[in-house]
Amino acid sequence: QLQASGGGLVQAGGSLRLSCAASGSIFSIDSMGWYRQAPGEQRELAATTTSGGTTNYADSVKGRFTISRDSAKNTVCLQMNSLKPEDTAVYYCNAHLRDRSFPQLVISSWGQGTLVTVSS
């Protein structure tokens, strides 16, 4: 189970920090990340990070967003700076994890989504 928090309304140029915590019978987490879906658009990657520390960012957020992960706590955060109106979207936390009951299987788990609104 993934629980996300931290969305809200901010003016252009402002900052927000999203947090997501994974809980349950977790054996390990291969990667965690954030995806976003703007109104009328498809869900797209914002940023991801692997257990080895490799990060990946959408071109549109590079230099403005920073993803960080606490593997001991199974949490991932997304620091969003210099926000733009086009960053307005529902942000979804995602984790590719392995359950203790069947660690050979990688499960893609999604959080409930948190709305980020950037006003101009």
Side-chain angles (χ1 to χ4, degrees), residues 26-85:
I26 299 172
F27 177 76
S28 66
I29 301 178
D30 291 2
S31 66
M32 298 186 79
W34 292 91
Y35 291 72
R36 64 185 186 180
Q37 187 167 17
E41 302 290 334
Q42 290 188 335
R43 191 174 299 186
E44 63 176 12
L45 176 146
T48 61
T49 180
T50 69
S51 58
T54 300
T55 57
N56 184 37
Y57 294 93
D59 288 342
S60 58
V61 308
K62 282 181 181 177
R64 301 187 297 120
F65 290 10
T66 302
I67 189 169
S68 61
R69 176 178 168 181
D70 186 331
S71 297
K73 297 180 179 179
N74 290 333
T75 59
V76 64
C77 294
L78 186 67
Q79 178 66 42
M80 305 184 293
N81 299 327
S82 302
L83 282 161
K84 304 176 181 180

Side-chain angles (χ1 to χ4, degrees), residues 8 11 16-17 20 38 50 59 62 65 72 75 94 104 115:
Q11 289 186 333
L16 281 175
R17 184 177 178 85
C20 176
T50 69
D59 288 342
K62 282 181 181 177
F65 290 10
T75 59
N94 173 263
Q104 301 92 331
L115 177 63

